[in-house]
Amino acid sequence: SPSTYDSTKRDVGVSSHTAGDFFEIPKQLKMSEGKVRILTKGARRNPLLSRLQFAIEIIHPGVRNLARTEVQEKLAQRFKAEKDATLVWGLKTEFGGGRTQGFGCVYESVKALQKVEKKFRQARNGIIKIERTARKLRKERKNKAKKARGHAKLKVTAGKK
């Protein structure tokens, strides 16, 4: 029997997506006429961590990738949350562009985010600032500590933090 499958039409599992928002792309972002759609998949509320967690799919045909901060702003608007309490990470674009996937969380408050989230992600989003000594100084201290023994080792490593 002849196949009824049409290779030009692609089935997209829309049923697994929550309603995505279309929004216009600012003039400086336009590469061609088109709209961007942000979909959240598998959203689940996690009351122990005070957050809503989900996978993100961004459909942007003919348009460059959206900045992570732009995606965060749009998700914060959609879920009526603070921008600082919204995190997006792991955005990977499919080969050829047009579709990006990643992960996101919307916390109930910034305080809840600070309790749970990793320090580097907090620093990346400007919530905390990590002060680091110079790399060379850290290495010198480490090597001095290797040579020292006992009580003298404590004096060498005392200035670490």
Side-chain angles (χ1 to χ4, degrees):
S1 71
S3 175
T4 58
Y5 179 72
D6 185 4
S7 63
T8 59
K9 294 180 181 174
R10 233 174 81 183
D11 292 334
V12 179
V14 177
S15 60
S16 65
H17 301 295
T18 57
D21 294 334
F22 280 108
F23 60 92
E24 283 296 322
I25 299 156
K27 284 245 191 252
Q28 70 269 21
L29 295 182
K30 282 192 180 180
M31 294 174 88
S32 69
E33 291 303 312
K35 293 190 176 195
V36 173
R37 190 168 188 196
I38 299 176
L39 303 168
T40 55
K41 297 193 289 185
R44 66 182 61 181
R45 188 157 299 285
N46 189 333
L48 295 175
L49 300 179
S50 303
R51 71 183 184 190
L52 177 72
Q53 54 198 39
F54 44 81
I56 301 168
E57 187 168 353
I58 306 165
I59 300 168
H60 50 96
V63 180
R64 71 163 175 81
N65 295 348
L66 290 180
R68 188 175 43 80
T69 53
E70 286 180 61
V71 177
Q72 276 180 222
E73 287 170 10
K74 293 295 175 188
L75 289 172
Q77 283 174 2
R78 183 187 301 168
F79 292 111
K80 297 175 181 72
E82 300 174 53
K83 182 190 172 289
D84 289 340
T86 307
L87 288 183
V88 173
W89 71 93
L91 294 177
K92 303 237 184 303
T93 307
E94 276 185 15
F95 180 74
R99 187 174 296 243
T100 303
Q101 295 176 342
F103 302 96
C105 286
V106 176
Y107 285 87
E108 289 176 6
S109 66
V110 177
K111 207 170 213 176
L113 181 144
Q114 288 176 326
K115 279 184 189 175
V116 176
E117 203 56 57
K118 296 176 181 179
K119 298 282 186 225
F120 80 91
R121 280 203 196 118
Q122 291 181 41
R124 187 184 286 168
N125 286 286
I127 296 164
I128 62 169
K129 187 160 175 57
I130 297 175
E131 293 293 329
R132 279 197 147 178
T133 56
R135 188 166 188 260
K136 187 170 184 178
L137 184 62
R138 281 184 282 156
K139 287 181 173 286
E140 286 172 357
R141 277 194 191 141
K142 175 192 68 128
N143 291 329
K144 275 186 188 176
K146 284 201 281 189
K147 293 173 190 167
R149 296 187 60 170
H151 202 58
K153 192 175 228 173
L154 294 176
K155 289 179 185 174
V156 173
T157 58
K160 270 193 170 178
K161 290 188 180 180

